[in-house]
Coordinates of all heavy atoms in Angstrom, one line a residue:
A864 N 53.8 -9.1 16.4 CA 53.9 -7.8 15.6 C 53.2 -6.7 16.4 O 53.7 -5.6 16.5 CB 53.3 -8.0 14.2
L868 N 54.8 -3.2 18.0 CA 54.3 -1.8 17.7 C 53.9 -1.1 19.0 O 54.1 0.1 19.1 CB 53.1 -2.0 16.7 CG 53.4 -2.3 15.3 CD1 52.1 -2.6 14.5 CD2 54.1 -1.2 14.6
V882 N 63.7 14.1 24.9 CA 64.6 14.8 23.8 C 64.3 16.3 23.8 O 65.2 17.1 23.7 CB 64.3 14.2 22.5 CG1 64.9 15.0 21.3 CG2 64.8 12.7 22.4
F884 N 63.5 18.2 26.3 CA 64.2 18.8 27.5 C 65.7 18.9 27.2 O 66.3 19.9 27.5 CB 63.9 18.0 28.7 CG 64.6 18.5 29.9 CD1 64.2 19.6 30.6 CD2 65.7 17.8 30.4 CE1 64.9 20.1 31.7 CE2 66.4 18.3 31.5 CZ 66.0 19.4 32.2
I901 N 69.9 17.1 14.4 CA 69.4 16.6 13.1 C 70.5 15.9 12.4 O 70.4 14.8 11.8 CB 68.8 17.7 12.3 CG1 67.5 18.3 13.0 CG2 68.5 17.3 10.9 CD1 67.0 19.5 12.4
I902 N 71.7 16.6 12.3 CA 72.8 16.1 11.6 C 73.3 14.7 12.1 O 73.5 13.8 11.3 CB 74.0 17.1 11.6 CG1 73.6 18.4 10.8 CG2 75.3 16.5 10.9 CD1 74.6 19.5 11.0
S911 N 69.1 2.1 11.2 CA 68.0 1.4 11.9 C 66.8 1.1 11.1 O 66.1 0.1 11.2 CB 67.7 2.1 13.2 OG 67.2 3.4 13.0
Y912 N 66.4 2.1 10.3 CA 65.2 1.9 9.4 C 65.4 0.8 8.4 O 64.5 0.0 8.2 CB 65.0 3.2 8.6 CG 63.8 3.1 7.7 CD1 62.5 3.1 8.2 CD2 64.0 3.0 6.3 CE1 61.4 3.0 7.3 CE2 62.9 2.9 5.4 CZ 61.6 2.9 5.9 OH 60.6 2.8 5.1
I915 N 65.0 -2.5 10.2 CA 63.6 -2.9 10.5 C 63.0 -3.8 9.4 O 62.2 -4.7 9.6 CB 62.8 -1.6 10.6 CG1 63.1 -0.9 11.9 CG2 61.3 -1.9 10.6 CD1 62.4 0.4 12.1
S922 N 66.3 -18.5 13.6 CA 65.0 -19.1 13.9 C 64.4 -18.5 15.2 O 63.2 -18.4 15.3 CB 65.2 -20.6 14.1 OG 66.1 -20.9 15.1
S955 N 62.7 33.0 12.7 CA 62.2 34.3 12.6 C 61.3 34.6 13.9 O 60.8 33.7 14.5 CB 61.3 34.4 11.4 OG 60.7 35.7 11.3
D962 N 54.3 31.6 10.0 CA 53.2 31.0 9.3 C 53.5 30.5 7.9 O 53.1 29.4 7.5 CB 51.9 31.9 9.3 CG 51.4 32.1 10.7 OD1 51.7 31.3 11.6 OD2 50.6 33.1 10.9
A1009 N 44.5 -22.7 7.9 CA 44.6 -22.0 6.6 C 46.0 -21.4 6.4 O 46.6 -21.4 5.3 CB 43.5 -21.0 6.4
A1032 N 62.9 -0.9 -1.3 CA 62.1 0.3 -0.9 C 62.7 1.0 0.3 O 62.8 2.2 0.4 CB 60.6 -0.1 -0.5
V1075 N 54.7 24.5 31.3 CA 54.1 24.3 30.0 C 52.7 23.7 30.2 O 51.7 24.2 29.5 CB 55.0 23.4 29.2 CG1 54.2 22.9 27.9 CG2 56.3 24.1 28.8
I1082 N 46.9 23.6 26.5 CA 46.1 22.4 26.9 C 44.8 22.4 26.0 O 44.4 21.3 25.5 CB 45.7 22.5 28.4 CG1 47.0 22.4 29.2 CG2 44.8 21.3 28.7 CD1 47.8 21.1 29.0
T1091 N 40.6 15.4 16.8 CA 40.6 15.5 15.3 C 41.7 14.7 14.7 O 41.5 14.1 13.6 CB 40.7 17.0 14.8 OG1 41.8 17.6 15.4 CG2 39.4 17.8 15.3
L1110 N 34.8 -1.9 -0.1 CA 34.5 -1.4 -1.5 C 34.9 -2.3 -2.6 O 34.4 -2.1 -3.7 CB 35.2 0.0 -1.6 CG 34.8 1.1 -0.6 CD1 35.6 2.4 -1.0 CD2 33.3 1.3 -0.7
L1121 N 47.0 7.8 -3.0 CA 47.8 8.9 -3.7 C 46.9 10.1 -4.0 O 47.3 11.2 -4.0 CB 48.4 8.3 -5.0 CG 49.7 7.5 -4.8 CD1 50.2 6.9 -6.1 CD2 50.8 8.4 -4.1
D1206 N 60.1 36.1 32.3 CA 61.4 35.8 32.9 C 61.8 34.3 32.7 O 62.8 33.9 33.2 CB 61.4 36.2 34.3 CG 61.1 37.7 34.6 OD1 61.6 38.5 33.7 OD2 60.5 38.0 35.6
V1261 N 36.0 4.1 9.5 CA 36.4 5.2 8.6 C 35.3 6.2 8.4 O 35.5 7.2 7.6 CB 36.7 4.6 7.2 CG1 37.8 3.6 7.3 CG2 35.5 3.9 6.5
I1314 N 81.2 54.8 33.1 CA 82.0 54.5 34.2 C 83.5 54.2 33.8 O 84.4 54.6 34.5 CB 81.4 53.3 34.9 CG1 80.0 53.6 35.5 CG2 82.3 52.7 36.0 CD1 79.3 52.5 36.1

Side-chain angles (χ1 to χ4, degrees):
L868 287 172
V882 169
F884 176 74
I901 294 171
I902 295 171
S911 61
Y912 178 75
I915 286 174
S922 57
S955 176
D962 290 344
V1075 168
I1082 298 301
T1091 54
L1110 298 182
L1121 279 175
D1206 298 325
V1261 302
I1314 293 174

